[in-house]
Amino acid sequence: MMARMDWVGRVGQRVKLRDLHILLAVAKAGSMGKAAAVLAVSQPVVSKTIADMEHALGVRLLDRNRRGVEPTGYGRALLTCAVAVFDDLRRGVAALESLADPTAGELRFGCTEPLAAGFVGEVIERLAREYPRVNFTS
């Protein structure tokens, strides 16, 4: 069983968003060379980043073979978290954009079909004309 990790010393100060981005690209591309091309960096940079993360975390993230790479169980677990991190970051940036420009953003609403076809539909059309940079979804 893996020993509990020292968050600050081994992980918090060593694993960066860029590292997670590279890991996601490698997993998606299926090879370090293809990921390097997509990221516009050299393959040694990608290899070193993955090796450094594996060292910091104390686990193997990728299985390497002739056909490329695939995530290990540890790698899949970290990839799941990486996707969540970037989703949260996107939401955070969207919130900042919304605060910076209150006339843009997304408005989600829920109502019955008769209301959507009638009164609510009219309100949304009027708001959409007045605030063209707002996306309305139901």
Side-chain angles (χ1 to χ4, degrees):
M1 182 174 175
M2 199 167 99
R4 190 154 180 86
M5 287 188 211
D6 170 19
W7 171 254
V8 174
R10 290 189 60 201
V11 181
Q13 293 179 351
R14 292 186 186 178
V15 178
K16 297 173 180 42
L17 285 175
R18 177 181 177 270
D19 301 341
L20 294 177
H21 181 70
I22 289 172
L23 179 64
L24 282 164
V26 170
K28 184 176 180 180
S31 89
M32 292 194 198
K34 289 177 186 174
V38 168
L39 296 169
V41 298
S42 69
Q43 198 235 325
V45 167
V46 172
S47 296
K48 182 173 180 354
T49 299
I50 299 297
D52 288 349
M53 275 197 306
E54 289 177 333
H55 178 73
L57 297 169
V59 295
R60 197 134 181 87
L61 299 172
L62 300 170
D63 282 330
R64 293 132 174 102
N65 58 50
R66 272 191 262 223
R67 290 171 287 150
V69 297
E70 63 181 55
T72 63
Y74 296 116
R76 285 189 298 277
L78 187 58
L79 285 164
T80 298
C81 294
V83 168
V85 164
F86 284 108
D87 286 347
D88 282 349
L89 187 56
R90 279 187 207 92
R91 279 192 294 279
V93 169
L96 295 176
E97 289 171 346
S98 178
L99 290 170
D101 183 2
T103 65
E106 182 176 357
L107 179 62
R108 295 176 186 230
F109 64 95
C111 63
T112 63
E113 283 189 40
L115 280 175
F119 171 73
V120 174
E122 289 294 322
V123 170
I124 290 171
E125 284 181 29
R126 187 172 174 187
L127 285 170
R129 282 192 303 273
E130 195 170 334
Y131 300 100
R133 295 182 33 219
V134 172
N135 295 320
F136 297 92
T137 57
S138 60

